[in-house]
Amino acid sequence: MAESQIAESPVHIEVLPNASGIQIGEQKYYFVSGNQYVSSKEQAPLIQLLQPIPDASHTRDREISPPNSACFPGTRTDAIRTIVAWADSTLLWNTHVLWLYGFVGCGKSAIALAIALKFERRNRLVASFFFFRNTGDRSRMTKFAVTLACQLAAAIPEAAPFIKKAVAEEPGLLGSSLVAQLRRLVYEPFKAAAKRARLLKTFLLKGPFLIVIDGLDECEDRKDVEAFIDDMLDFFKKNPLIPLRFLITSRVEQHISGHLKNDQVRLENLVNHCSRNDIDTFMDTCFEEEKKRNPVIGAYIQEHGDWPVKKDKDKLVDHIDGSFIFASALFEYIVDPTDDQSTPMDRLPDALNMNPGLDTLYAQTLSRSQHLPHFSDVISALALTFEPLPIIGMAELLGIQSFEVVRVLVNLQAIIHIPGTDDLPVTMCHTSLRDFLTTESRSGSFFTPPSHHLYLSYRCSTLHDGRRLDTAATLYSIRHFAKHIEQFTRLPPTAQGPLPRAPQTLDALYTHILAKSQSHPHFSDIISTIVLVIEPLPAAGISKVLGIEILEVVGVLVTLRPVIDLPDAVDSPVTICHPSVHQFLTTEGRSGRFFVLPSYHLKLSYHYFSLNLEHLLSHTPLSPTVIRSSEWRVRSRWHWREFVEAISEPSIYDELGQFTNLAPKTSPYPHIFSFTRLFFWVFQDPDYKPQQTLSALIKCLESLASALALECDHAPEKWLQQPFYELITNSLVKTSFVGPLEIHQDQAMALQQIVHRVEAAIRAKCPGDVSEHSSDSSVDEIYMQPRLGDWTVMSVYFLLKWIVSHAQTGMNPAGPGVTCVLSLDITPKGNFSQITISTQPHTQPSATQPDLPYVEVDYVQ
């Protein structure tokens, strides 16, 4: 809340007005929302690199960047004199930090502004930073250090080279901790520059330099505030002679007072400097100005004499009790030009009867608009939005007309700053109004429940249609949708709903957003991919993995912008905006038709396998995609494991069968994928082995037969001779084992028929690949490569053919109803260059359940 509104004169700059014959090098003047950065050609890149907050300093336009506080002429002289005396002291052992604290509305920001302006005129102001809650970066510590550094470079050019050097030498500095940034960009550059002759002379003749930090309690990053204080005090402890002072103002809050109540800090309670005369001067001047411009008051004075009379004015000053914000708000209430139901003379007695403090004033002022349509929405938006919006932006966000917003706000000018145009932000006179509105015990019927964040999330989601890209409301919704969701999800379930308005729950909101895209033919694939991938993919990556046009991907992603973060570049990752979206999509009881089935991991495993196989069949030895191929194999394996873990084994066969039967023409290798995955599942992976080993082997052979019949027209011999490690995994894997196989007679016959189909297909398409590998059942040992990854598709086929021949032979002497049990063992031989696999057939009646032997697995290094 402004203690008074003081018109500032335009910036006037004279450069050597009486000089002649002078050459001036290039200078660049940066005016950013009222902040002036004057920089040489060398310093300009530094400003562009650091990207300071444009409206954080004392030079900002206070009309649109609160707090709009300034000391009324002739007031606060005692407090200002005390601070100036401390800051002017050249005693090197004097305290480096002064903490000015006090209650809401006692004028801390106004005094901070006055001190900053005074020391700027003395050329001893290094920087200033005015925190203000819910104003984006100005309520965070994210850009605190870089903003101070830019002001330091402008105020003390000798420090600029040291700042630039720090950034150049430490590429990660701008993304590092607050403490590291303050040390390298502010403290150390100032310390280095302070050794220069000009700064030493200034210090010795005039006094130390000053940094002003106002409203530290307004910063939302409490841990960073504590780190800033502790590191600042540590720096001064190690550098007691440095000519730098910090003025910090704030309310008394534990995370600040617990760190600033220190022998190194001078404490000043502003209450001790609040003079009744200051309030009296302020009210006198305000009433005198109002008398000149208010015809109603002028007419009353002509008829009844002076107003207000001294007795009432003195009573009003006593009632205010030293609070400038209360004085200003109370005055605005009394002379409010929008209240045509009563006159200032009628409202003065009401003001005298108000309970001291702001809550009564807030409630009485808000009650003027409470009966109007959209009052609750407008007030809730003021209280809960993360940065102030202009009238037109607030209207667009809420889905109402601008005049409806104005109609609510125009009655509230005693507590809310309404700008002169619809495109400048509406701000609260003081953040205590937000505290009032969000504290139910204080605000009563004006309470803004935190559950209203869900409605604001919904309103944000309606602006992601891509048609209004540059409006204040659309930009706000893109930046802060996830923040509103986060605030809502932090509430206990009892406070989340159901709400009295749509959407009533968070799930209803997500359902509403997703329903806009569900008709797109690739919607399910795209959302499932975003949810299940190992790490986020860019739009171009989603397009490549799914084999669809990137424009189709982007078309769906644009409609999903409320729930995903869609970057501007197609090669930047697409991410889910909040964990609750992922939880919703992966919980069937919540998401219903939008549930992302865990079985979709099968499709993702196939898509990566397909990319890799396509590459293997077409790439040249020096292809630059070899590294990407390895990445595809790893991701295919990971998604297969997720698929196997997520569902039951019978469902695995069902899903795999449906996938291979229904795979579209754009998926050319489903049977090859099924064959390789099933074979590795049986033979290689000791942690995820199938329980129905025979079923897996049967389906493995069936997939190989279908692959040869349907999918091997393109370079079949190349695929058949491909080592498995290039198909499935990016490393040479160790061999493990199947286990005992219990085979019925009809199963043995079916296996034999499948083998005949495979061999016929191989002979038809690549007859040279059918070699003399033995499949004679009288041979009990065959020799394979020691590592499974070295096996080829052909060697796997001969192994399976040999196993089937043993099964068939084991059936021959037996009659119907007999089961053949094959016991296979893997044993390292020799110098571990080969593995011997032996089989021994056994027969037992099927009615008797055999005790299947334990199969020991030996891993070969």
Side-chain angles (χ1 to χ4, degrees), residues 348-410:
L348 177 58
D350 293 338
L352 292 172
N353 291 325
M354 281 185 184
N355 292 329
L358 293 169
D359 286 6
T360 304
L361 177 63
Y362 286 155
Q364 190 150 349
T365 305
L366 289 166
S367 65
R368 297 179 180 180
S369 294
Q370 191 174 18
H371 65 285
L372 296 174
H374 311 296
F375 169 80
S376 177
D377 285 345
V378 172
I379 295 303
S380 297
L382 277 170
L384 299 181
T385 48
F386 296 102
E387 62 183 68
L389 286 167
I391 288 173
I392 192 171
M394 194 180 301
E396 185 180 0
L397 177 64
L398 297 176
I400 59 180
Q401 298 295 314
S402 294
F403 78 87
E404 295 176 298
V405 176
V406 174
R407 189 181 178 194
V408 170
L409 296 180
V410 74

Side-chain angles (χ1 to χ4, degrees), residues 14 28 61 106 159 204 211 227 267 308 319 359 404 432 439 486 494 559 653 658-659 676-677 700 703 705 755 835:
E14 291 187 351
K28 290 191 177 181
D61 183 347
C106 63
L204 293 173
I211 295 177
L267 308 180
H319 187 62
D359 286 6
E404 295 176 298
S432 60
T439 306
E486 175 65 22
T494 53
T559 63
Y653 303 127
Q658 291 178 25
F659 174 71
T676 52
R677 271 285 152 230
C700 178
S703 295
V755 166
I835 296 178

Side-chain angles (χ1 to χ4, degrees), residues 3 6 8 57-60 62 69-72 75-88 96-100 107-130 151 208-214 245-249 268 270 273:
E3 294 176 5
I6 300 176
E8 296 185 354
S57 81
H58 67 288
T59 61
R60 70 193 183 282
R62 300 195 309 276
S69 303
C71 288
F72 199 81
T75 65
R76 317 320 303 263
T77 55
D78 178 60
I80 293 172
R81 188 183 304 112
T82 299
I83 296 170
V84 170
W86 161 79
D88 279 346
H96 289 80
V97 181
L98 187 149
W99 178 32
L100 181 69
K108 300 180 295 294
S109 294
I111 292 173
L113 175 65
I115 295 296
L117 291 170
K118 186 178 289 290
F119 277 79
E120 181 183 45
R121 289 192 294 269
R122 296 180 178 187
N123 295 318
R124 287 165 50 204
L125 182 69
V126 172
S128 64
F129 197 105
F130 285 69
Q151 294 183 49
F209 292 84
L210 181 67
I211 295 177
V212 176
I213 307 298
D214 177 67
R245 303 286 185 264
F246 268 82
L247 169 63
I248 297 175
T249 75
E268 287 290 342
L270 191 51
H273 299 278

Side-chain angles (χ1 to χ4, degrees), residues 24 36 56 188 202 246 260 268 461 466 549 669 683 756 853:
I24 301 177
Q36 179 184 345
E188 292 174 7
T202 299
F246 268 82
L260 280 176
E268 287 290 342
S461 74
E549 294 294 329
Y669 310 116
F683 277 86
H756 290 326

Side-chain angles (χ1 to χ4, degrees), residues 2 90 231 299 347 403 578 716 755 764:
T90 57
D231 182 64
R347 291 190 290 272
F403 78 87
H578 192 268
V755 166

Side-chain angles (χ1 to χ4, degrees), residues 719-732:
W719 172 68
L720 291 171
Q721 298 301 335
Q722 199 77 45
F724 263 99
Y725 73 83
E726 290 192 2
L727 291 171
I728 294 295
T729 181
N730 65 337
S731 62
L732 301 179

Side-chain angles (χ1 to χ4, degrees), residues 186-493:
V186 181
Y187 302 152
E188 292 174 7
F190 177 85
K191 181 180 177 181
K195 299 175 182 178
R196 302 297 175 89
R198 184 182 73 84
L199 271 72
L200 285 173
K201 182 179 178 181
T202 299
F203 163 59
L204 293 173
L205 293 178
K206 300 180 180 179
F209 292 84
L210 181 67
I211 295 177
V212 176
I213 307 298
D214 177 67
L216 192 58
D217 57 295
E218 300 281 323
C219 179
E220 300 167 9
D221 300 325
R222 294 194 166 203
K223 293 296 183 183
D224 281 340
V225 167
E226 294 172 352
F228 155 61
I229 295 172
D230 291 342
D231 182 64
M232 173 187 62
L233 296 179
D234 181 64
F235 173 76
F236 285 131
K237 188 174 183 179
K238 294 176 181 177
N239 299 273
L241 304 183
I242 194 165
L244 181 63
R245 303 286 185 264
F246 268 82
L247 169 63
I248 297 175
T249 75
S250 77
R251 285 183 280 182
V252 179
E253 294 196 4
Q254 182 58 43
H255 71 290
I256 297 175
S257 62
H259 292 257
L260 280 176
K261 287 184 177 179
N262 187 297
D263 291 341
Q264 292 179 256
V265 181
R266 176 167 173 170
L267 308 180
E268 287 290 342
N269 187 344
L270 191 51
V271 172
N272 298 331
H273 299 278
C274 286
S275 165
R276 185 187 185 283
N277 290 336
D278 286 345
I279 300 294
D280 191 46
T281 300
F282 171 69
M283 296 304 290
D284 265 343
T285 306
C286 288
F287 276 119
E288 288 302 318
E289 289 297 319
E290 188 65 22
K291 291 175 190 178
K292 296 176 184 178
R293 63 174 175 257
N294 192 317
V296 175
I297 296 176
Y300 178 88
I301 290 175
Q302 283 185 357
E303 185 174 345
H304 297 91
D306 195 21
W307 179 87
V309 297
K310 186 176 187 306
K311 177 183 175 182
D312 287 344
K313 191 196 66 164
D314 288 345
K315 187 177 179 181
L316 188 62
V317 171
D318 291 337
H319 187 62
I320 290 168
D321 194 26
S323 172
F324 271 94
I325 184 175
F326 187 43
S328 183
L330 208 57
F331 176 77
E332 293 290 340
Y333 167 77
I334 294 169
V335 301
D336 186 359
T338 63
D339 187 352
D340 56 6
Q341 302 300 312
S342 60
T343 68
M345 286 65 69
D346 298 326
R347 291 190 290 272
L348 177 58
D350 293 338
L352 292 172
N353 291 325
M354 281 185 184
N355 292 329
L358 293 169
D359 286 6
T360 304
L361 177 63
Y362 286 155
Q364 190 150 349
T365 305
L366 289 166
S367 65
R368 297 179 180 180
S369 294
Q370 191 174 18
H371 65 285
L372 296 174
H374 311 296
F375 169 80
S376 177
D377 285 345
V378 172
I379 295 303
S380 297
L382 277 170
L384 299 181
T385 48
F386 296 102
E387 62 183 68
L389 286 167
I391 288 173
I392 192 171
M394 194 180 301
E396 185 180 0
L397 177 64
L398 297 176
I400 59 180
Q401 298 295 314
S402 294
F403 78 87
E404 295 176 298
V405 176
V406 174
R407 189 181 178 194
V408 170
L409 296 180
V410 74
N411 295 326
L412 311 179
Q413 294 188 67
I415 58 176
I416 292 172
H417 287 307
I418 304 177
T421 63
D422 287 356
D423 56 354
L424 292 177
V426 176
T427 58
M428 297 181 180
C429 294
H430 199 275
T431 53
S432 60
L433 175 57
R434 181 175 287 107
D435 298 334
F436 170 80
L437 291 170
T438 55
T439 306
E440 188 172 11
S441 60
R442 293 173 58 187
S443 52
S445 62
F446 301 108
F447 173 59
T448 297
S451 57
H452 196 81
H453 278 291
L454 181 64
Y455 181 69
L456 291 175
S457 301
Y458 164 69
R459 293 305 314 166
C460 285
S461 74
T462 64
L463 301 175
H464 288 70
D465 55 11
R467 291 179 293 177
R468 301 169 292 237
L469 297 178
D470 57 351
T471 67
T474 300
L475 295 175
Y476 175 88
S477 66
I478 292 171
R479 286 193 295 264
H480 299 299
F481 172 85
K483 290 184 181 179
H484 285 295
I485 292 294
E486 175 65 22
Q487 292 299 314
F488 182 78
T489 57
R490 288 181 181 179
L491 299 175

